């Protein structure tokens, strides 16, 4: 009697399904990890860029105030959080610093946002005079979920 020998020529269907399932789970886990790492890196880069924009905005405003001289050419209304100087103005409204390129008052229309409030919001804007010869500009940056960052710059006035 001849015995039929069974030759193994490949994987069984069960073995193939198990191998494909393991490969699919491994690939999905790797893609999820990769996506999460890129998302975190992108968020950190976006936050860094927005902070650079915030500091650039503060330096621009500080420079504008310093160019106005002794402070007699500008007036800050702390109730409206609005600064008017020469023929321009800067105010804080809805978390954004706004700029008025031509003459107007704090309640007039035609104000332009100086930054995108979706990237960062400014929760505080003040110009103070701690001593008769000192001026101080303060801005407070707020990112969602983060503690506020206060940026202040002081200078001597000629008044």
């Amino acid at each position: 009697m001849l015995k039929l020998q069974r030759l193994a020529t490949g994987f069984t269907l069960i073995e193939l399904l198990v191998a494909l399932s393991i490969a699919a789970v491994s690939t999905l886990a790797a893609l999820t990890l990769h996506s999460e790492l890129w998302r975190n890196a992108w968020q950190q880069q976006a936050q860094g860029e927005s902070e650079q924009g915030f500091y650039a905005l503060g330096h621009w405003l500080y420079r504008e105030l310093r160019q106005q001289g002794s402070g007699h050419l500008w007036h800050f209304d702390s109730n409206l959080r609005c600064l008017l100087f020469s023929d321009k103005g800067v105010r804080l409204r809805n978390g954004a610093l706004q700029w008025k390129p031509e003459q107007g008052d704090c309640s007039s229309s035609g104000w332009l946002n100086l930054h995108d409030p979706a990237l960062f919001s400014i929760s505080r804007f003040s110009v103070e005079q701690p001593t008769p010869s000192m001026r101080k500009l303060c801005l407070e940056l707020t990112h969602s979920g983060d503690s506020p960052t206060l940026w202040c710059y002081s200078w001597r006035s000629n008044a």
Side-chain angles (χ1 to χ4, degrees), residues 2 5 8-9 18 32 34 39 46 63 90 111 156:
L2 291 173
Q5 286 187 330
T9 59
V18 169
T32 302
H34 183 264
R39 187 181 64 78
R63 188 185 71 233
V90 176
W111 291 81
R156 290 203 175 275

Side-chain angles (χ1 to χ4, degrees), residues 65 71 73-85 88-93 97 104-108 111 124-129 135 137-138:
L65 288 172
L73 302 175
W74 54 268
H75 171 71
F76 181 73
D77 184 341
S78 60
N79 293 330
L80 295 175
R81 294 191 286 187
C82 180
L83 171 70
L84 293 174
F85 52 94
K88 302 174 245 193
V90 176
R91 74 177 179 186
L92 178 62
R93 180 169 281 180
L97 274 183
D105 60 9
C106 293
S107 58
S108 64
W111 291 81
R124 179 177 167 206
F125 167 47
S126 64
V127 179
E128 303 163 0
Q129 188 171 359
R135 304 267 190 216
L137 165 69
C138 288

